Amino acid sequence: MVKLANEEQSQVKRATRAAYGATLAELANEGLPVVAVDADLTGSTTTKKLADAGFADRLFNCGIAEQNMVDVAAGLAATGHIAYTGSFAVFGTGRAYDQIRNTVCYSNLDVKIAPTHAGISVGPDGGSHQMLEDVSLMRGLPNMRVLVPADYAAARAAIRLAAETPGPVYVRMGRASVPAVYADGVELELGRAYVLREGSDATIVACGVEVEQALKAAQMLAAEGVEVEVIDAFSVKPLDEDTVLASVGKTGRAVVAEEHSVYGGLGSAVAETLARSNPAPVEFVGMRDQFGKSGEFEELLDYFDLGSRAIVEAVKKVMAR
């Protein structure tokens, strides 16, 4: 079992994006041929830290040209580099989708699509910048693997794992500072989900910022005598179907929570798995066919029914079915 953050560590909030540039610098210092290609957001994405660490020749700023950014990364990967792209998720996946599909994935190149500022946690930037369809876009691409880290430590592990995994990998990171779920230095695996809390009455499968919300919901439900199992589906693709099926086989029902559209993301992956192997009642906590809006992250979690209370209500609903 992976080591979780203790109570003191969980009080320290850090954004998942903060792990990006620092981890790239660590990988470069270890001798890996990593490079970063950015679209004029090196400060916001933190890829600038790679240059600040003495690797200025490994950072390529393409300006506001995300499609070109992906093609430059593809070219660098074709010459033996491990190429990471950096932008906001709405631009780094949406605007550059054709290049990701036809240049990176079709050729199975060693390019890591690793944007920041995904989901409603972008906050005040509003609906135009709150990317809620990216997991769906990336999950549907052949050869692409999809990782959605829950906190800083998990993001660091995801960036390292991407470097160790040949071919395209998508790493989804956010802007907002979030509490620690895992202890620093945690190592996570591709295709693995992690049971963070055991229970018998229902299963909550979550990813990203919703993992911490799911753990909060589990505490709230425990106070009412309901024991839920909480799973971090850090690897959305490939999904750890065995862990999901074993848990739902025990509890008989599931709730899926994600800071993403309910269409095509983690919820769809879990529902597909259960439909094939063990049909069971499922409820979904996610964005319901709508765009986001401007506001503070915590406010938006409650406004869009993505917080711990919404997860509690979803558990009660699925238990009543």
Side-chain angles (χ1 to χ4, degrees), residues 41-67:
L41 290 165
T42 59
S44 295
T45 65
T46 77
T47 56
K48 184 176 180 292
K49 292 181 181 179
L50 180 62
D52 293 342
F55 298 98
D57 60 335
R58 305 263 196 114
L59 176 60
F60 302 87
N61 191 342
C62 292
I64 305 173
E66 292 81 9
Q67 295 161 327

Side-chain angles (χ1 to χ4, degrees), residues 1-151:
M1 188 173 180
V2 293
K3 189 175 181 181
L4 301 181
N6 58 38
E7 187 172 348
E8 182 179 351
Q9 291 169 333
S10 67
Q11 301 306 310
V12 179
K13 292 185 176 184
R14 290 180 288 184
T16 50
R17 65 167 171 154
Y20 193 17
T23 306
L24 289 180
E26 289 175 8
L27 294 171
N29 273 313
E30 292 166 17
L32 276 70
V34 296
V35 294
V37 189
D38 209 296
D40 206 35
L41 290 165
T42 59
S44 295
T45 65
T46 77
T47 56
K48 184 176 180 292
K49 292 181 181 179
L50 180 62
D52 293 342
F55 298 98
D57 60 335
R58 305 263 196 114
L59 176 60
F60 302 87
N61 191 342
C62 292
I64 305 173
E66 292 81 9
Q67 295 161 327
N68 188 46
M69 171 187 70
V70 172
D71 283 341
V72 169
L76 288 164
T79 59
H81 296 85
I82 303 171
Y84 288 76
T85 64
S87 182
F88 290 1
V90 69
F91 308 126
T93 61
R95 186 172 292 169
Y97 182 78
D98 184 58
Q99 285 69 30
I100 296 170
R101 181 187 188 276
N102 287 317
T103 306
V104 173
C105 290
Y106 193 78
S107 299
N108 201 23
L109 293 174
D110 208 5
V111 175
K112 319 306 174 182
I113 308 298
T116 61
H117 295 64
I120 61 162
S121 57
V122 175
D125 286 359
S128 63
H129 283 54
Q130 293 166 356
M131 185 54 158
L132 299 162
E133 314 90 59
D134 51 314
V135 173
S136 176
L137 289 173
M138 297 297 103
R139 180 173 165 258
L141 287 171
N143 294 326
M144 181 66 80
R145 279 62 59 90
V146 178
L147 305 177
V148 184
D151 65 359

Side-chain angles (χ1 to χ4, degrees), residues 197-201 204 214-230 312 315-316 319:
R197 180 184 177 121
E198 295 188 353
S200 57
D201 295 322
I204 304 174
L215 290 169
K216 279 185 179 179
Q219 290 181 328
M220 295 162 66
L221 287 161
E224 300 180 28
V226 178
E227 293 296 332
V228 296
E229 191 144 290
V230 178
V312 167
V315 169
K316 291 179 179 180
M319 289 181 66

Side-chain angles (χ1 to χ4, degrees), residues 215-304:
L215 290 169
K216 279 185 179 179
Q219 290 181 328
M220 295 162 66
L221 287 161
E224 300 180 28
V226 178
E227 293 296 332
V228 296
E229 191 144 290
V230 178
I231 295 175
D232 177 11
F234 157 80
S235 177
V236 174
K237 181 189 177 186
L239 181 67
D240 185 351
E241 296 187 354
D242 290 343
T243 294
V244 171
L245 289 170
S247 180
V248 178
K250 177 175 66 173
T251 66
R253 55 191 65 85
V255 169
V256 185
E258 58 187 323
E259 185 205 13
H260 183 271
S261 170
V262 294
Y263 300 113
L266 176 62
S268 295
V270 171
E272 291 159 14
T273 297
L274 294 175
R276 284 193 303 267
S277 304
N278 182 25
V282 187
E283 291 293 331
F284 304 93
V285 174
M287 290 294 284
R288 306 246 169 213
D289 200 23
Q290 60 189 319
F291 292 104
K293 60 171 57 182
S294 181
E296 295 303 321
F297 173 45
E298 291 79 8
E299 295 174 334
L300 294 173
L301 277 177
D302 289 336
Y303 182 85
F304 288 114

